[in-house]
Amino acid sequence: MNTKSNPSNSKRIEWSSPLSALFSAKGGATLDGLLEAHFRKVEDLLWIFPLRIEELPPVRPFAYASEGLLFKGQGKILNVQSRANFWAKGRRGALLQNVSVHVKDLHSEEILLLRYFNCYSKKKKKLKGLELIDFSGEVTAAKGEKYLANPQCDALEEKADLAKVSEAPLELRIHYPTINGIAGKFIQKVIDKIPTHLWKEIPESLPEFIVEERKLLSKTLTFNILHGRKHNVPDWSEHLEREAKSRLAYEEFFHEQLKIYLRRKYFKKPQAQIFTSEDSYFE
């Protein structure tokens, strides 16, 4: 996950800054879509929670690829083949392709198939421009053959040392929702633009004594966990994720109870006016 932020903007961006501060001068369709969805400030992005967060296994030889499980491997692309999918159309009627990539394991002699469905031509061009790759995704099987469907794939930066890989911390794959037509991968890119120092300075919204008394997570830690910011939460786990969700649920309950209390205290019905009368009026 990319955690770098633009150094020229980091010093002046705050949680209260307008969302446009994270973008270039024009902003583009992503900014327009988020503004239309009523995300106005940088702090509003905190409330776009991932649909799910998955722990990626360490790099393994292809023999460890098992159906239905996540797998991460490294290999050399042997060939890239494509077939036009005449049953599907892309934006502006663009022809889409189904692409097959055969990859040879860098840690064994095995070969694994990667499949990409309904791709634009630029995806095929990108794959053809790669040689050694890191890839990860869920293993599927059909007709006795294992393959990864639409895996994440990047140019290989460094060949893994399998003797040490078990000691390395697990990576997280974060899946954000589509918002107003903006795909989750673009939502993540926007959230990754938030300056690193802000993730350590999320204002607390509960009284300190309540946080301590009930042993709640801090708001800073809560949002770092829920967004999978592993560089700030190296021991991230599903247990911590549940604790973070409980913290926000308690905060919501606390604020609702506070509103009820204040309404009862300050918004009282005015007393009715007292009228006096003489008995003769009723005779």
Side-chain angles (χ1 to χ4, degrees):
M1 175 174 41
N2 180 23
T3 57
K4 295 182 180 180
S5 56
N6 188 332
S8 64
N9 292 336
S10 299
K11 295 182 180 179
R12 58 185 177 85
I13 294 178
E14 301 296 339
W15 287 118
S16 57
S17 299
L19 189 60
S20 57
L22 296 176
F23 294 81
S24 60
K26 293 183 178 180
T30 300
L31 175 59
D32 293 341
L34 288 171
L35 291 175
E36 288 176 4
H38 305 290
F39 293 94
R40 308 294 186 188
K41 298 180 180 180
V42 174
E43 63 185 341
D44 295 337
L45 296 176
L46 287 173
W47 298 96
I48 303 178
F49 296 124
L51 294 172
R52 65 185 183 279
I53 298 177
E54 299 172 316
E55 290 184 296
L56 285 178
V59 173
R60 286 284 184 255
F62 289 1
Y64 284 82
S66 300
E67 184 179 359
L69 299 179
L70 289 174
F71 177 77
K72 184 175 182 181
Q74 296 180 330
K76 178 180 180 180
I77 292 180
L78 299 179
N79 59 66
V80 179
Q81 301 174 349
S82 64
R83 290 185 178 181
N85 183 358
F86 297 103
W87 298 98
K89 295 292 183 182
R91 293 188 296 269
R92 299 180 182 178
L95 182 64
L96 300 180
Q97 304 177 54
N98 295 332
V99 181
S100 298
V101 183
H102 287 90
V103 181
K104 182 182 179 300
D105 194 359
L106 292 185
H107 305 284
S108 72
E109 296 301 315
E110 293 199 29
I111 294 174
L112 191 61
L113 176 62
L114 312 182
R115 286 182 172 175
Y116 295 88
F117 299 98
N118 297 329
C119 301
Y120 289 96
S121 57
K122 63 181 180 181
K123 180 68 175 181
K124 176 185 173 183
K125 183 178 180 181
K126 176 185 175 181
L127 290 168
K128 281 197 168 185
L130 297 174
E131 182 180 7
L132 301 180
I133 60 171
D134 266 314
F135 63 91
S136 59
E138 184 174 332
V139 181
T140 305
K143 297 181 180 179
E145 183 179 29
K146 292 186 294 186
Y147 66 91
L148 273 67
N150 299 315
Q152 183 174 320
C153 177
D154 298 292
L156 179 66
E157 295 182 358
E158 182 180 0
K159 183 178 178 180
D161 183 346
L162 296 186
K164 298 179 180 179
V165 75
S166 60
E167 303 172 3
L170 294 179
E171 295 180 27
L172 298 180
R173 173 177 286 182
I174 303 171
H175 301 266
Y176 281 97
T178 296
I179 296 178
N180 199 22
I182 305 168
K185 64 181 181 180
F186 297 115
I187 297 294
Q188 180 169 350
K189 286 181 180 180
V190 175
I191 291 176
D192 285 343
K193 290 181 180 181
I194 297 174
T196 303
H197 74 272
L198 287 185
W199 287 102
K200 300 177 182 179
E201 303 171 357
I202 301 175
E204 185 57 69
S205 51
L206 284 176
E208 185 177 345
F209 77 92
I210 289 182
V211 175
E212 294 177 355
E213 182 179 298
R214 295 189 170 271
K215 298 180 180 180
L216 300 173
L217 299 176
S218 70
K219 197 164 186 178
T220 293
L221 183 56
T222 294
F223 278 105
N224 274 275
I225 292 170
L226 292 177
H227 285 277
R229 313 303 291 187
K230 199 165 177 60
H231 59 291
N232 290 336
V233 192
D235 57 345
W236 187 97
S237 66
E238 292 183 356
H239 173 71
L240 277 178
E241 187 180 27
R242 288 192 294 270
E243 278 195 46
K245 290 178 179 178
S246 295
R247 145 72 202 235
L248 288 188
Y250 177 83
E251 181 173 337
E252 183 178 3
F253 172 78
F254 175 83
H255 287 153
E256 288 301 318
Q257 292 300 309
L258 184 60
K259 291 176 184 177
I260 292 172
Y261 169 78
L262 292 174
R263 288 193 194 104
R264 289 176 177 174
K265 184 174 182 179
Y266 295 106
F267 295 93
K268 296 181 178 179
K269 291 182 179 180
Q271 292 185 346
Q273 185 175 355
I274 299 175
F275 294 92
T276 58
S277 62
E278 295 181 6
D279 293 341
S280 58
Y281 292 161
F282 300 98
E283 294 178 354

mmCIF file of all heavy atoms in Angstrom, residues 7 14 24 34 44 47 57 59 84 146-147 156-157 164 170-171 179 211 217 232 244 246 250 280:
data_model
loop_
_atom_site.group_PDB
_atom_site.id
_atom_site.type_symbol
_atom_site.label_atom_id
_atom_site.label_comp_id
_atom_site.label_asym_id
_atom_site.label_seq_id
_atom_site.Cartn_x
_atom_site.Cartn_y
_atom_site.Cartn_z
ATOM 1 N N PRO A 7 5.042 15.901 -0.349
ATOM 2 C CA PRO A 7 5.710 16.690 0.669
ATOM 3 C C PRO A 7 5.402 18.171 0.584
ATOM 4 O O PRO A 7 5.433 18.873 1.573
ATOM 5 C CB PRO A 7 7.201 16.405 0.410
ATOM 6 C CG PRO A 7 7.262 15.945 -1.008
ATOM 7 C CD PRO A 7 5.981 15.253 -1.268
ATOM 8 N N GLU A 14 -4.578 20.012 6.709
ATOM 9 C CA GLU A 14 -5.080 19.585 8.009
ATOM 10 C C GLU A 14 -6.365 18.801 7.779
ATOM 11 O O GLU A 14 -6.909 18.765 6.681
ATOM 12 C CB GLU A 14 -5.339 20.804 8.905
ATOM 13 C CG GLU A 14 -4.118 21.675 9.156
ATOM 14 C CD GLU A 14 -3.021 20.948 9.926
ATOM 15 O OE1 GLU A 14 -3.347 19.940 10.598
ATOM 16 O OE2 GLU A 14 -1.863 21.378 9.840
ATOM 17 N N SER A 24 -4.432 17.945 -7.457
ATOM 18 C CA SER A 24 -3.786 18.976 -8.252
ATOM 19 C C SER A 24 -4.800 20.076 -8.520
ATOM 20 O O SER A 24 -5.955 19.992 -8.101
ATOM 21 C CB SER A 24 -3.276 18.381 -9.571
ATOM 22 O OG SER A 24 -4.361 17.835 -10.310
ATOM 23 N N LEU A 34 -16.540 12.769 -5.567
ATOM 24 C CA LEU A 34 -16.567 12.787 -4.100
ATOM 25 C C LEU A 34 -17.306 14.010 -3.579
ATOM 26 O O LEU A 34 -18.056 13.937 -2.601
ATOM 27 C CB LEU A 34 -15.144 12.746 -3.545
ATOM 28 C CG LEU A 34 -14.426 11.406 -3.678
ATOM 29 C CD1 LEU A 34 -12.952 11.535 -3.291
ATOM 30 C CD2 LEU A 34 -15.099 10.346 -2.819
ATOM 31 N N ASP A 44 -13.560 13.978 6.157
ATOM 32 C CA ASP A 44 -14.699 13.160 5.713
ATOM 33 C C ASP A 44 -14.238 11.809 5.166
ATOM 34 O O ASP A 44 -14.995 10.828 5.199
ATOM 35 C CB ASP A 44 -15.499 13.899 4.638
ATOM 36 C CG ASP A 44 -16.157 15.167 5.170
ATOM 37 O OD1 ASP A 44 -16.360 15.245 6.398
ATOM 38 O OD2 ASP A 44 -16.459 16.064 4.364
ATOM 39 N N TRP A 47 -14.396 8.425 7.168
ATOM 40 C CA TRP A 47 -15.635 7.668 7.328
ATOM 41 C C TRP A 47 -15.960 6.807 6.114
ATOM 42 O O TRP A 47 -17.036 6.220 6.041
ATOM 43 C CB TRP A 47 -16.775 8.630 7.650
ATOM 44 C CG TRP A 47 -16.505 9.349 8.945
ATOM 45 C CD1 TRP A 47 -15.947 10.589 9.089
ATOM 46 C CD2 TRP A 47 -16.728 8.853 10.256
ATOM 47 N NE1 TRP A 47 -15.817 10.896 10.418
ATOM 48 C CE2 TRP A 47 -16.290 9.850 11.163
ATOM 49 C CE3 TRP A 47 -17.260 7.663 10.762
ATOM 50 C CZ2 TRP A 47 -16.374 9.684 12.537
ATOM 51 C CZ3 TRP A 47 -17.343 7.506 12.132
ATOM 52 C CH2 TRP A 47 -16.901 8.500 13.013
ATOM 53 N N PRO A 57 -0.728 -13.706 2.547
ATOM 54 C CA PRO A 57 0.324 -14.615 3.002
ATOM 55 C C PRO A 57 1.668 -14.182 2.441
ATOM 56 O O PRO A 57 1.733 -13.419 1.480
ATOM 57 C CB PRO A 57 -0.124 -15.967 2.425
ATOM 58 C CG PRO A 57 -0.913 -15.602 1.208
ATOM 59 C CD PRO A 57 -1.618 -14.320 1.559
ATOM 60 N N VAL A 59 5.294 -14.624 0.379
ATOM 61 C CA VAL A 59 5.619 -15.245 -0.913
ATOM 62 C C VAL A 59 5.900 -16.729 -0.707
ATOM 63 O O VAL A 59 6.621 -17.124 0.222
ATOM 64 C CB VAL A 59 6.847 -14.556 -1.549
ATOM 65 C CG1 VAL A 59 7.291 -15.311 -2.796
ATOM 66 C CG2 VAL A 59 6.517 -13.114 -1.897
ATOM 67 N N ALA A 84 -10.595 -11.417 -27.798
ATOM 68 C CA ALA A 84 -11.619 -10.371 -27.695
ATOM 69 C C ALA A 84 -12.892 -10.951 -27.082
ATOM 70 O O ALA A 84 -13.291 -12.081 -27.396
ATOM 71 C CB ALA A 84 -11.909 -9.795 -29.062
ATOM 72 N N LYS A 146 -5.442 -24.825 -11.968
ATOM 73 C CA LYS A 146 -5.481 -23.711 -11.014
ATOM 74 C C LYS A 146 -5.069 -22.420 -11.717
ATOM 75 O O LYS A 146 -4.176 -22.411 -12.559
ATOM 76 C CB LYS A 146 -4.542 -23.983 -9.842
ATOM 77 C CG LYS A 146 -4.967 -25.120 -8.943
ATOM 78 C CD LYS A 146 -4.076 -25.248 -7.732
ATOM 79 C CE LYS A 146 -2.665 -25.649 -8.106
ATOM 80 N NZ LYS A 146 -1.841 -25.917 -6.901
ATOM 81 N N TYR A 147 -5.740 -21.347 -11.339
ATOM 82 C CA TYR A 147 -5.370 -20.034 -11.861
ATOM 83 C C TYR A 147 -5.815 -18.944 -10.884
ATOM 84 O O TYR A 147 -6.632 -19.183 -9.991
ATOM 85 C CB TYR A 147 -5.982 -19.782 -13.247
ATOM 86 C CG TYR A 147 -7.492 -19.672 -13.264
ATOM 87 C CD1 TYR A 147 -8.122 -18.441 -13.118
ATOM 88 C CD2 TYR A 147 -8.289 -20.813 -13.443
ATOM 89 C CE1 TYR A 147 -9.507 -18.337 -13.141
ATOM 90 C CE2 TYR A 147 -9.673 -20.708 -13.476
ATOM 91 C CZ TYR A 147 -10.278 -19.473 -13.320
ATOM 92 O OH TYR A 147 -11.641 -19.359 -13.336
ATOM 93 N N LEU A 156 8.468 -6.773 -10.327
ATOM 94 C CA LEU A 156 9.225 -7.293 -9.194
ATOM 95 C C LEU A 156 10.340 -6.322 -8.817
ATOM 96 O O LEU A 156 11.141 -5.921 -9.656
ATOM 97 C CB LEU A 156 9.815 -8.663 -9.543
ATOM 98 C CG LEU A 156 10.666 -9.328 -8.456
ATOM 99 C CD1 LEU A 156 9.798 -9.683 -7.260
ATOM 100 C CD2 LEU A 156 11.347 -10.571 -9.013
ATOM 101 N N GLU A 157 10.383 -5.960 -7.545
ATOM 102 C CA GLU A 157 11.434 -5.070 -7.054
ATOM 103 C C GLU A 157 12.608 -5.863 -6.482
ATOM 104 O O GLU A 157 13.759 -5.480 -6.633
ATOM 105 C CB GLU A 157 10.878 -4.121 -6.005
ATOM 106 C CG GLU A 157 9.824 -3.152 -6.556
ATOM 107 C CD GLU A 157 9.319 -2.194 -5.503
ATOM 108 O OE1 GLU A 157 9.758 -2.296 -4.337
ATOM 109 O OE2 GLU A 157 8.484 -1.327 -5.847
ATOM 110 N N LYS A 164 13.739 -16.282 4.939
ATOM 111 C CA LYS A 164 13.449 -15.198 5.873
ATOM 112 C C LYS A 164 12.017 -14.685 5.767
ATOM 113 O O LYS A 164 11.568 -13.925 6.607
ATOM 114 C CB LYS A 164 14.406 -14.027 5.626
ATOM 115 C CG LYS A 164 15.866 -14.359 5.839
ATOM 116 C CD LYS A 164 16.733 -13.142 5.556
ATOM 117 C CE LYS A 164 18.213 -13.450 5.770
ATOM 118 N NZ LYS A 164 19.065 -12.265 5.474
ATOM 119 N N LEU A 170 2.980 -9.613 7.854
ATOM 120 C CA LEU A 170 2.024 -9.839 6.780
ATOM 121 C C LEU A 170 1.595 -8.514 6.162
ATOM 122 O O LEU A 170 1.458 -7.506 6.853
ATOM 123 C CB LEU A 170 0.797 -10.578 7.311
ATOM 124 C CG LEU A 170 1.026 -12.012 7.796
ATOM 125 C CD1 LEU A 170 -0.285 -12.593 8.306
ATOM 126 C CD2 LEU A 170 1.590 -12.895 6.688
ATOM 127 N N GLU A 171 1.389 -8.526 4.858
ATOM 128 C CA GLU A 171 0.868 -7.348 4.170
ATOM 129 C C GLU A 171 -0.654 -7.378 4.203
ATOM 130 O O GLU A 171 -1.267 -8.433 4.375
ATOM 131 C CB GLU A 171 1.344 -7.328 2.715
ATOM 132 C CG GLU A 171 2.848 -7.183 2.560
ATOM 133 C CD GLU A 171 3.252 -7.170 1.100
ATOM 134 O OE1 GLU A 171 2.419 -6.762 0.254
ATOM 135 O OE2 GLU A 171 4.386 -7.573 0.786
ATOM 136 N N ILE A 179 -17.898 4.495 -4.778
ATOM 137 C CA ILE A 179 -18.723 5.621 -4.314
ATOM 138 C C ILE A 179 -19.022 6.540 -5.483
ATOM 139 O O ILE A 179 -18.104 7.049 -6.131
ATOM 140 C CB ILE A 179 -18.015 6.404 -3.190
ATOM 141 C CG1 ILE A 179 -17.836 5.510 -1.951
ATOM 142 C CG2 ILE A 179 -18.802 7.669 -2.817
ATOM 143 C CD1 ILE A 179 -17.108 6.178 -0.825
ATOM 144 N N VAL A 211 -12.492 7.408 28.052
ATOM 145 C CA VAL A 211 -11.611 6.536 27.287
ATOM 146 C C VAL A 211 -10.772 5.671 28.230
ATOM 147 O O VAL A 211 -10.624 4.460 28.029
ATOM 148 C CB VAL A 211 -10.694 7.352 26.355
ATOM 149 C CG1 VAL A 211 -9.692 6.453 25.650
ATOM 150 C CG2 VAL A 211 -11.528 8.118 25.328
ATOM 151 N N LEU A 217 -10.084 2.176 22.841
ATOM 152 C CA LEU A 217 -8.995 2.584 21.950
ATOM 153 C C LEU A 217 -9.085 4.081 21.702
ATOM 154 O O LEU A 217 -10.176 4.654 21.670
ATOM 155 C CB LEU A 217 -9.086 1.836 20.617
ATOM 156 C CG LEU A 217 -8.982 0.305 20.654
ATOM 157 C CD1 LEU A 217 -9.182 -0.245 19.242
ATOM 158 C CD2 LEU A 217 -7.648 -0.144 21.209
ATOM 159 N N ASN A 232 1.387 2.279 11.024
ATOM 160 C CA ASN A 232 1.077 2.831 12.346
ATOM 161 C C ASN A 232 0.574 1.764 13.310
ATOM 162 O O ASN A 232 0.579 1.971 14.525
ATOM 163 C CB ASN A 232 0.021 3.939 12.232
ATOM 164 C CG ASN A 232 0.572 5.188 11.569
ATOM 165 O OD1 ASN A 232 1.775 5.419 11.583
ATOM 166 N ND2 ASN A 232 -0.291 5.987 10.981
ATOM 167 N N ALA A 244 -11.922 -1.816 17.355
ATOM 168 C CA ALA A 244 -12.067 -0.477 16.779
ATOM 169 C C ALA A 244 -13.523 -0.199 16.417
ATOM 170 O O ALA A 244 -14.038 0.906 16.649
ATOM 171 C CB ALA A 244 -11.171 -0.335 15.555
ATOM 172 N N SER A 246 -16.116 -1.542 17.854
ATOM 173 C CA SER A 246 -16.836 -1.392 19.123
ATOM 174 C C SER A 246 -16.636 -0.003 19.695
ATOM 175 O O SER A 246 -17.558 0.587 20.259
ATOM 176 C CB SER A 246 -16.355 -2.447 20.131
ATOM 177 O OG SER A 246 -16.673 -3.748 19.696
ATOM 178 N N TYR A 250 -19.652 2.579 20.531
ATOM 179 C CA TYR A 250 -19.845 3.189 21.855
ATOM 180 C C TYR A 250 -19.925 4.713 21.725
ATOM 181 O O TYR A 250 -20.757 5.359 22.367
ATOM 182 C CB TYR A 250 -18.707 2.821 22.803
ATOM 183 C CG TYR A 250 -18.843 3.508 24.148
ATOM 184 C CD1 TYR A 250 -19.656 2.975 25.136
ATOM 185 C CD2 TYR A 250 -18.200 4.711 24.397
ATOM 186 C CE1 TYR A 250 -19.819 3.619 26.354
ATOM 187 C CE2 TYR A 250 -18.351 5.372 25.608
ATOM 188 C CZ TYR A 250 -19.160 4.819 26.586
ATOM 189 O OH TYR A 250 -19.326 5.465 27.780
ATOM 190 N N SER A 280 -68.720 33.912 40.090
ATOM 191 C CA SER A 280 -69.939 34.435 39.447
ATOM 192 C C SER A 280 -69.956 34.145 37.950
ATOM 193 O O SER A 280 -71.014 34.129 37.335
ATOM 194 C CB SER A 280 -70.041 35.952 39.698
ATOM 195 O OG SER A 280 -68.887 36.602 39.189
#
